[in-house]
Amino acid sequence: MQSAVIIGASGGIGGALADAIGEEARFDRVWRLSRRDGLDLTDEASIADAAARVAAGPPPTLVIVATGILHDADHGPEKALKDLDAEWLARVYAINAIGPALVAKHFLPLFPRTGTPTFAALSARVGSIGDNALGGWHGYRASKAALNMLLRNIAIEARRKYDRTIVVGLHPGTVDTGLSKPFQGNVAPGKLFAPDRAALQLLDVLDGLKPHDSGKVFGWDGAEIPF
């Protein structure tokens, strides 16, 4: 008996991941968690409550945090220092970095010490410090870089408790969702993925991971992304 948990299942990628995983016979239950049923990444108590619900069922062996924020009705990605806003930066960090770390805090203790239980969070190539040649998008880049470091730390701690646990970041590419909608004009032909295709690509990457991959970030094509 085992379950899978998708955090952010009301979103384009999260919903597609939940649908794809639901078609697999290996999971006895797929938990679709999002703000719609009370889980708020900026509210740790709601994360703890969600973990308690999951703990009452088959143990989770796969947890994916498929959430993220790049813009809203009043804010876009910053193009220059003059665009920085403290409250917006704090919100971006809260959702893109702190929230996934708190999910790990409450859900990793539910993992069994058998097999290769896996925790993944959606990261982004622009969160790579070594790969940053353009600058800009300060809050999004920095929050994803912070997420990557948190995932590395979480992976190290998880390995001490059970050395076959896998903790990774995943870059889904540019997916046809509301997050990328304002920026799709610059996407190369063939590189804008439908959510269902993106989900299958990410699941293929997860299926190919081994414990020694824990703590790393991988793109949709399986290539490791540098920190």
Side-chain angles (χ1 to χ4, degrees):
M1 299 287 287
Q2 58 181 337
S3 66
V5 179
I6 307 300
I7 308 291
S10 62
I13 299 176
L17 283 166
D19 289 343
I21 292 170
E23 295 176 358
E24 300 182 5
R26 58 175 165 152
F27 293 105
D28 300 285
R29 177 160 188 177
V30 178
W31 293 86
R32 298 169 178 256
L33 303 177
S34 69
R35 290 178 66 98
R36 290 179 181 175
D37 59 353
L39 193 156
D40 182 349
L41 287 187
T42 65
D43 178 2
E44 185 175 358
S46 75
I47 297 172
D49 287 345
R53 279 184 278 148
V54 171
T61 56
L62 175 63
V63 175
I64 303 177
V65 183
T67 58
I69 187 170
L70 173 60
H71 57 85
D72 66 9
D74 301 313
H75 303 88
E78 311 92 341
K79 296 180 179 180
L81 285 172
K82 64 182 177 62
D83 300 323
L84 290 180
D85 176 83
E87 290 186 5
W88 175 245
L89 276 174
R91 177 163 175 76
V92 171
Y93 268 85
I95 293 174
N96 289 347
I98 299 171
L102 292 175
V103 172
K105 172 184 174 180
H106 290 279
F107 279 82
L108 258 65
L110 307 182
F111 278 173
R113 295 192 181 186
T114 58
T116 53
T118 301
F119 179 92
L122 293 191
S123 186
R125 185 174 295 277
V126 298
S128 168
I129 295 173
D131 195 45
N132 181 7
L134 297 177
W137 287 31
H138 297 300
Y140 191 70
R141 284 185 185 273
S143 64
K144 291 297 187 178
L147 171 64
N148 295 345
M149 182 59 74
L150 284 163
L151 291 171
R152 177 69 65 89
N153 282 350
I154 293 164
I156 292 170
E157 182 172 338
R159 187 179 301 123
R160 293 176 183 144
K161 297 179 180 179
Y162 177 59
D163 62 6
R164 291 182 60 78
T165 301
I166 298 173
V167 177
V168 293
L170 296 174
H171 167 56
T174 303
V175 184
D176 189 10
T177 65
L179 185 144
S180 71
K181 190 69 70 177
F183 315 102
Q184 293 178 3
N186 297 323
V187 179
K191 296 297 185 181
L192 178 63
F193 304 131
D196 55 348
R197 177 180 172 184
L200 292 176
Q201 290 173 163
L202 293 177
L203 293 176
D204 283 344
V205 174
L206 289 174
D207 286 342
L209 296 180
K210 304 297 181 185
H212 66 257
D213 294 315
S214 191
K216 300 177 182 179
V217 181
F218 294 92
W220 60 269
D221 57 357
E224 183 179 347
I225 296 175
F227 273 54

